[in-house]
């Protein structure tokens, strides 16, 4: 007779597999985001043996008496958050799959801290004081797919990450440099969240992302002044919001033809060179809000799949009748379901109704008052 599993455990594992950029508030809060869902791990990585969810049929209930003092242990989940721990606790059951160590005072990961944890699937180290990681600290973690080590004191990407890793969240640290080869061997990786680090364009060594087939990358809240030109060409989502980017030049996006979501909000973009967006034939969502654009970017009518455009809080003074929609019918394959133009100095009464002839619904258009 097949083993029956509690719904909460199944739901929790599924939530882990679909995690998006987040501001983690609790152990299971892995899915906080405001946009499109990511591809699941198997679809994005192309790996046949890595689905992103542990094989529940292979899980056998164990009732090990091993549980670190003060922690909560149930089945294969060990929760040791908010305990003021100075180091990774001992006596962690070797069959543990989910280990939560967030919100503690751990400052170092030593060589034997995870010894014997060969079945670990997710490791949560968010909001500690980690500044040093031994080069062999992650060696035992042969099946680790999710590593959440954000909000620490790291100055570099941890060395020798497990080759099984699918998702790395390392935002809000002190990383200034991404050297070539740091991600070598990570053929299953499809998601990296590294925003909130003081990274400049010069901090990415040529070839830093060689070998990666990422689906998702976020480098927000950094110090970028332009779009990096050496990111993985497999990207479907790229988020560079809250940087200091001032312009998009013709060939900046040449490499990223597979993007369907591009986030460039909260920058200082004044100019988007004509033809720049033509390299993004599959783009569905474009965020250019909170910049310094004086007009609607050219090329939007040629993006046949584009459905959402955020242009609010810019300096746009005029909206032309052909700024969004192509001339003629049957050219656009997907109608817009969201265009935001509020908080721009546009005389909205002068905008012709035909401007939005390829929008699904008038409610999808967001105008609003402009405040100086």
């Amino acid at each position: 007779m097949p083993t029956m599993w509690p719904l909460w455990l199944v739901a929790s594992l599924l939530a882990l597999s679909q995690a998006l950029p987040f501001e983690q508030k609790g152990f299971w809060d892995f899915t906080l985001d405001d946009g499109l869902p990511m591809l699941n791990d198997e679809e994005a990585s192309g790996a046949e043996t890595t689905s992103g969810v542990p094989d529940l049929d292979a899980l056998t209930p164990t009732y090990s008496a091993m549980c670190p003092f003060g922690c909560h242990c149930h089945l294969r989940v060990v929760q040791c958050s908010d305990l003021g721990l100075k180091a990774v606790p001992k006596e962690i059951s070797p069959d543990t799959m989910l280990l939560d160590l967030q919100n503690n005072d751990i400052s170092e990961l030593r060589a034997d801290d995870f010894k014997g944890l060969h079945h670990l699937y997710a490791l949560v180290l968010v909001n500690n004081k980690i500044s040093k990681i031994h080069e062999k600290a992650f060696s035992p973690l042969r099946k680790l797919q999710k590593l959440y080590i954000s909000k620490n004191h790291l100055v570099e990407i941890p060395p020798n990450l497990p080759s099984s890793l699918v998702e790395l969240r390392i935002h809000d640290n002190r990383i200034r440099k991404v050297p070539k080869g740091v991600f070598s061997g990570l053929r299953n990786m499809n998601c990296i969240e590294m925003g909130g680090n003081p990274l400049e364009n010069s901090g990415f060594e040529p070839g830093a992302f060689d070998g990666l087939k990422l689906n998702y990358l976020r480098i927000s809240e950094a110090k970028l002044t332009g779009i990096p030109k050496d990111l993985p060409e497999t990207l479907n989502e790229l988020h560079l919001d809250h940087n200091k980017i001032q312009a998009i030049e013709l060939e900046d996006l040449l490499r990223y033809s597979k993007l369907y979501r591009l986030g460039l909000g909260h920058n200082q973009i004044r100019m988007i060179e004509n033809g720049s967006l033509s390299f993004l034939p599959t783009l569905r969502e474009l965020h250019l809000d909170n910049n310094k654009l004086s007009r609607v970017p050219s090329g939007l009518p040629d993006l046949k799949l584009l459905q959402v455009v955020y242009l609010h809080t810019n300096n746009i003074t005029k909206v032309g009748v052909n700024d969004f929609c192509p001339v003629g019918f049957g050219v656009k394959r997907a109608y817009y379901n969201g265009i935001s133009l509020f908080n721009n100095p546009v005389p909205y009464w002068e905008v012709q109704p035909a401007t939005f002839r390829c929008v699904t619904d008038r409610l999808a258009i967001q105008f609003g008052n402009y405040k100086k």
Side-chain angles (χ1 to χ4, degrees):
M1 182 176 180
T3 304
M4 297 299 292
W5 284 91
L7 290 177
W8 70 267
L9 179 57
V10 176
S12 300
L13 293 173
L14 289 174
L16 273 169
S17 74
Q18 299 173 9
L20 289 176
F22 68 114
E23 178 181 345
Q24 190 167 337
K25 299 176 182 177
F27 183 48
W28 301 118
D29 185 15
F30 293 106
T31 56
L32 183 61
D33 193 81
D34 59 354
L36 300 176
M38 284 174 52
L39 301 175
N40 63 40
D41 297 334
E42 185 173 358
E43 292 171 331
S45 69
E48 295 180 1
T49 58
T50 303
S51 67
V53 180
D55 183 2
L56 294 179
D57 293 332
L59 296 180
T60 302
T62 59
Y63 301 94
S64 173
M66 296 178 66
C67 188
F69 178 77
C71 300
H72 297 282
C73 304
H74 182 67
L75 295 179
R76 297 186 175 189
V77 176
V78 178
Q79 188 171 3
C80 302
S81 62
D82 302 276
L83 295 177
L85 298 175
K86 304 291 186 182
V88 175
K90 303 297 182 183
E91 298 185 354
I92 298 173
S93 178
D95 62 0
T96 298
M97 298 190 70
L98 304 171
L99 176 57
D100 174 21
L101 292 167
Q102 67 179 312
N103 302 331
N104 281 293
D105 296 321
I106 299 170
S107 60
E108 179 181 357
L109 300 182
R110 297 164 296 192
D112 296 329
D113 276 349
F114 304 113
K115 185 178 181 180
L117 300 183
H118 303 310
H119 300 284
L120 199 64
Y121 163 77
L123 175 58
V124 184
L125 291 160
V126 176
N127 197 27
N128 275 276
K129 300 176 180 178
I130 300 169
S131 61
K132 184 178 180 181
I133 298 178
H134 193 278
E135 62 180 10
K136 295 184 178 180
F138 298 127
S139 295
L141 307 181
R142 302 166 188 167
K143 296 184 179 181
L144 189 71
Q145 293 190 31
K146 315 283 186 179
L147 176 57
Y148 299 159
I149 195 166
S150 305
K151 298 184 179 179
N152 278 282
H153 300 166
L154 296 175
V155 296
E156 63 180 4
I157 305 290
N160 302 320
L161 293 169
S163 61
S164 56
L165 206 60
V166 171
E167 182 178 334
L168 173 65
R169 299 184 184 267
I170 195 166
H171 58 83
D172 291 297
N173 276 279
R174 302 172 182 178
I175 298 168
R176 295 181 178 274
K177 183 179 180 181
V178 182
K180 181 178 181 179
V182 71
F183 298 120
S184 62
L186 302 180
R187 63 182 183 86
N188 293 318
M189 182 83 80
N190 70 27
C191 171
I192 296 180
E193 157 66 274
M194 57 193 312
N197 285 290
L199 282 163
E200 300 180 359
N201 288 72
S202 59
F204 297 95
E205 287 189 359
F209 294 91
D210 280 358
L212 287 181
K213 296 182 178 180
L214 292 182
N215 159 252
Y216 184 102
L217 177 63
R218 185 186 290 260
I219 315 175
S220 59
E221 299 177 84
K223 296 184 177 182
L224 301 179
T225 56
I227 295 177
K229 295 181 174 62
D230 199 23
L231 304 178
E233 59 185 11
T234 56
L235 285 171
N236 295 137
E237 294 197 35
L238 176 60
H239 298 267
L240 302 173
D241 46 291
H242 290 274
N243 275 285
K244 299 178 180 180
I245 299 172
Q246 299 180 13
I248 300 176
E249 299 179 353
L250 183 60
E251 297 185 357
D252 281 352
L253 300 169
L254 174 64
R255 184 177 173 85
Y256 311 123
S257 61
K258 295 181 175 64
L259 284 179
Y260 66 74
R261 191 180 187 197
L262 176 59
L264 290 165
H266 292 271
N267 275 281
Q268 301 171 14
I269 300 172
R270 296 178 180 272
M271 185 273 294
I272 298 178
E273 192 170 350
N274 291 345
S276 300
L277 300 179
S278 65
F279 299 113
L280 308 176
T282 62
L283 195 67
R284 292 168 172 82
E285 187 167 333
L286 177 61
H287 294 220
L288 285 166
D289 56 285
N290 290 276
N291 277 285
K292 298 181 179 180
L293 296 172
S294 58
R295 62 184 179 90
V296 176
S298 63
L300 295 184
D302 299 323
L303 299 177
K304 298 179 180 181
L305 299 176
L306 189 62
Q307 299 174 53
V308 176
V309 182
Y310 290 175
L311 288 167
H312 56 270
T313 317
N314 274 280
N315 298 322
I316 298 171
T317 57
K318 183 180 180 180
V319 177
V321 70
N322 294 319
D323 278 353
F324 293 99
C325 302
V327 177
F329 294 97
V331 178
K332 193 165 175 61
R333 292 171 55 188
Y335 276 32
Y336 290 101
N337 54 45
I339 296 177
S340 69
L341 283 162
F342 64 88
N343 200 23
N344 277 289
V346 176
Y348 299 111
W349 56 90
E350 295 182 3
V351 178
Q352 299 182 38
T355 301
F356 305 111
R357 58 190 177 275
C358 60
V359 178
T360 55
D361 191 295
R362 295 291 176 178
L363 295 177
I365 306 165
Q366 297 181 3
F367 282 147
N369 294 328
Y370 173 67
K371 297 180 179 179
K372 291 184 178 181

